[in-house]
Amino acid sequence: MSSYRYCPVCAKPLLQLLYQGKPYVECEEKHFLHYDTQAVGAAAIIVHEGKLLLEKRAVEPGKGCWGLLGGMAEPGEQITECVVREVQEESGLEIQITRLLDVQGGHTTCVVFYEAIVTGGQLFVSSESTELRWYDLSEIPYEQLAFRSHLVMIERWLSDIQKIK
């Protein structure tokens, strides 16, 4: 159930309601409505000269482990804009999305995975990571990946590109 108890506009207690069995809260004056929903993020499998870019995370979750570059969408942001922005912020690289790979939902987060290529920029390490590394596709550190969804996505992507060859 929502952590909201009072309307942020009129301060009246919110009504605890159900719609199709799912809880939500609403102001009796209709000023405010809130559903508990998943946060949405995006991540990119970035390939350049046959190598995959991974970042060693400097922040939780997954601090000290490797992962794909990406992050959470800002309010009103298109998810494709999110992944382009996050990659630029985390690495300095400009990318072009080449295809949608998958959408994976979890308990609190839904992640949209894309394949992308580098189109410009200068590689740098941001405050969100301690290292960026281009991995040969045969040397990806699966046992050191921060998130199971990244492992599954990379394995599926590798399987797909091997079928194409």
Side-chain angles (χ1 to χ4, degrees):
M1 184 50 86
S2 174
S3 61
Y4 289 102
R5 299 288 176 241
Y6 299 93
C7 176
V9 176
C10 69
K12 289 185 178 180
L14 294 171
L15 304 171
Q16 307 285 322
L17 303 168
L18 289 174
Y19 176 72
Q20 295 181 346
K22 296 176 185 164
Y24 70 100
V25 294
E26 183 176 32
C27 171
E28 67 183 44
E29 301 294 326
K30 307 297 186 202
H31 296 133
F32 180 77
L33 172 70
H34 177 75
Y35 291 93
D36 281 336
T37 59
Q38 292 182 341
V40 178
I45 289 182
I46 304 166
V47 183
H48 184 67
E49 297 178 355
K51 295 188 176 195
L52 173 69
L53 182 62
L54 295 176
E55 70 173 340
K56 187 174 266 189
R57 297 177 56 83
V59 295
E60 294 295 351
K63 184 177 180 178
C65 295
W66 291 96
L68 298 170
L69 282 74
M72 304 311 294
E74 295 176 355
E77 182 177 45
Q78 294 294 316
I79 199 67
T80 53
E81 294 169 354
C82 167
V83 73
V84 169
R85 175 187 52 78
E86 285 285 348
V87 168
Q88 198 284 322
E89 289 175 1
E90 293 176 5
S91 70
L93 296 178
E94 297 168 7
I95 61 167
Q96 177 182 341
I97 296 169
T98 54
R99 67 181 170 135
L100 171 66
L101 295 172
D102 198 10
V103 178
Q104 295 183 14
H107 179 67
T108 60
T109 306
C110 176
V111 179
V112 181
F113 289 93
Y114 294 98
E115 177 186 73
I117 57 171
V118 176
T119 59
Q122 288 282 27
L123 189 67
F124 68 80
V125 176
S126 77
S127 62
E128 294 184 37
S129 57
T130 59
E131 183 179 353
L132 295 171
R133 185 183 302 172
W134 291 102
Y135 277 95
D136 185 273
L137 300 183
S138 64
E139 297 175 351
I140 297 167
Y142 293 106
E143 67 284 347
Q144 297 173 31
L145 291 176
F147 307 108
R148 176 155 175 69
S149 62
H150 290 196
L151 180 138
V152 168
M153 196 68 260
I154 292 168
E155 286 181 335
R156 188 178 306 151
W157 174 78
L158 283 171
S159 175
D160 286 350
I161 65 170
Q162 289 171 353
K163 289 176 187 173
I164 295 170
K165 290 182 179 180

XYZ file of all heavy atoms in Angstrom, residues 52 54 56 65-67 133 135-146 151 154:
177
model
N 32.474 -5.488 -25.664
C 31.328 -5.046 -24.873
C 31.799 -4.137 -23.740
O 32.731 -4.489 -23.019
C 30.606 -6.264 -24.288
C 29.482 -6.009 -23.299
C 28.288 -5.371 -24.002
C 29.062 -7.306 -22.628
N 31.509 -2.538 -20.141
C 30.934 -2.735 -18.816
C 31.527 -1.707 -17.864
O 32.643 -1.221 -18.075
C 31.227 -4.141 -18.282
C 30.601 -5.309 -19.037
C 31.066 -6.632 -18.434
C 29.083 -5.228 -19.027
N 32.373 -0.927 -13.682
C 32.459 -1.430 -12.312
C 31.776 -0.382 -11.446
O 32.191 0.768 -11.388
C 33.901 -1.640 -11.873
C 33.979 -2.312 -10.509
C 35.388 -2.659 -10.120
C 35.666 -4.090 -10.530
N 36.961 -4.552 -9.993
N 30.771 -4.457 -8.364
C 30.514 -5.472 -9.397
C 30.378 -4.783 -10.755
O 30.219 -3.573 -10.846
C 29.232 -6.241 -9.071
S 29.333 -7.205 -7.558
N 30.420 -5.588 -11.793
C 30.323 -5.086 -13.163
C 28.869 -5.039 -13.615
O 28.040 -5.826 -13.145
C 31.113 -5.977 -14.115
C 32.585 -5.872 -13.893
C 33.354 -6.710 -13.140
C 33.460 -4.865 -14.389
N 34.657 -6.287 -13.139
C 34.755 -5.158 -13.912
C 33.292 -3.754 -15.195
C 35.862 -4.372 -14.212
C 34.396 -2.974 -15.501
C 35.667 -3.277 -15.020
N 28.568 -4.145 -14.543
C 27.215 -4.069 -15.079
C 27.179 -3.305 -16.394
O 28.153 -2.651 -16.784
N 35.451 -0.775 -18.799
C 36.343 -1.668 -19.534
C 35.613 -2.267 -20.724
O 34.458 -2.673 -20.624
C 36.829 -2.779 -18.623
C 37.868 -3.678 -19.311
C 38.322 -4.840 -18.455
N 38.894 -4.395 -17.195
C 39.223 -5.234 -16.223
N 39.027 -6.527 -16.350
N 39.729 -4.768 -15.100
N 35.298 -5.375 -22.864
C 35.569 -6.801 -22.724
C 35.436 -7.514 -24.059
O 34.441 -7.323 -24.771
C 34.597 -7.452 -21.736
C 35.006 -7.291 -20.301
C 34.500 -6.258 -19.532
C 35.900 -8.176 -19.711
C 34.866 -6.109 -18.202
C 36.282 -8.038 -18.390
C 35.754 -6.999 -17.655
O 36.137 -6.859 -16.346
N 36.415 -8.343 -24.350
C 36.278 -9.272 -25.467
C 35.074 -10.148 -25.135
O 34.858 -10.511 -23.968
C 37.550 -10.120 -25.602
C 37.489 -11.013 -26.813
O 36.943 -12.138 -26.676
O 37.964 -10.602 -27.886
N 34.303 -10.511 -26.131
C 33.057 -11.256 -25.880
C 33.299 -12.617 -25.239
O 32.393 -13.176 -24.627
C 32.259 -11.389 -27.175
C 31.846 -10.060 -27.822
C 31.003 -10.308 -29.058
C 31.136 -9.148 -26.842
N 34.506 -13.141 -25.330
C 34.817 -14.422 -24.707
C 35.345 -14.254 -23.281
O 35.608 -15.243 -22.599
C 35.856 -15.178 -25.541
O 37.077 -14.448 -25.568
N 35.482 -13.007 -22.806
C 36.064 -12.759 -21.482
C 35.137 -11.997 -20.541
O 35.591 -11.413 -19.553
C 37.371 -11.981 -21.653
C 38.421 -12.759 -22.428
C 39.675 -11.943 -22.695
O 39.682 -10.717 -22.437
O 40.652 -12.537 -23.175
N 33.858 -11.986 -20.797
C 32.905 -11.259 -19.953
C 32.885 -11.893 -18.557
O 32.749 -13.103 -18.423
C 31.500 -11.285 -20.595
C 31.548 -10.542 -21.937
C 30.463 -10.667 -19.668
C 30.338 -10.740 -22.806
N 33.012 -11.078 -17.497
C 33.077 -11.615 -16.125
C 31.683 -11.926 -15.543
O 31.208 -11.251 -14.635
C 33.768 -10.487 -15.358
C 33.287 -9.246 -16.059
C 33.199 -9.628 -17.516
N 31.064 -12.960 -16.059
C 29.691 -13.290 -15.651
C 29.533 -13.424 -14.146
O 28.543 -12.976 -13.576
C 29.224 -14.589 -16.322
C 29.062 -14.476 -17.812
C 29.992 -15.049 -18.673
C 28.004 -13.788 -18.360
C 29.856 -14.943 -20.046
C 27.859 -13.676 -19.736
C 28.793 -14.251 -20.568
O 28.649 -14.133 -21.921
N 30.517 -14.051 -13.494
C 30.418 -14.301 -12.052
C 30.547 -13.013 -11.240
O 30.244 -13.000 -10.053
C 31.470 -15.326 -11.602
C 32.912 -14.846 -11.704
C 33.502 -14.810 -13.117
O 32.919 -15.381 -14.064
O 34.551 -14.167 -13.270
N 30.951 -11.920 -11.875
C 31.118 -10.641 -11.173
C 30.077 -9.598 -11.580
O 30.225 -8.424 -11.265
C 32.521 -10.087 -11.442
C 33.623 -10.972 -10.913
C 34.988 -10.459 -11.356
O 35.197 -9.268 -11.528
N 35.923 -11.370 -11.541
N 29.023 -10.020 -12.296
C 27.984 -9.068 -12.705
C 27.084 -8.713 -11.527
O 26.745 -9.567 -10.703
C 27.157 -9.626 -13.856
C 27.897 -9.748 -15.198
C 27.016 -10.410 -16.238
C 28.380 -8.394 -15.691
N 26.697 -7.453 -11.455
C 25.907 -6.941 -10.342
C 24.468 -7.458 -10.335
O 23.888 -7.647 -9.275
C 25.893 -5.405 -10.377
N 23.145 -10.407 -16.626
C 23.716 -11.691 -17.045
C 22.815 -12.366 -18.072
O 23.280 -12.786 -19.139
C 23.906 -12.603 -15.821
C 24.489 -13.963 -16.121
C 25.527 -14.339 -15.070
C 23.411 -15.022 -16.163
N 22.892 -10.378 -21.442
C 24.136 -10.537 -22.190
C 24.203 -11.926 -22.809
O 24.548 -12.069 -23.991
C 25.367 -10.273 -21.291
C 25.416 -8.790 -20.895
C 26.659 -10.675 -22.000
C 26.410 -8.482 -19.774
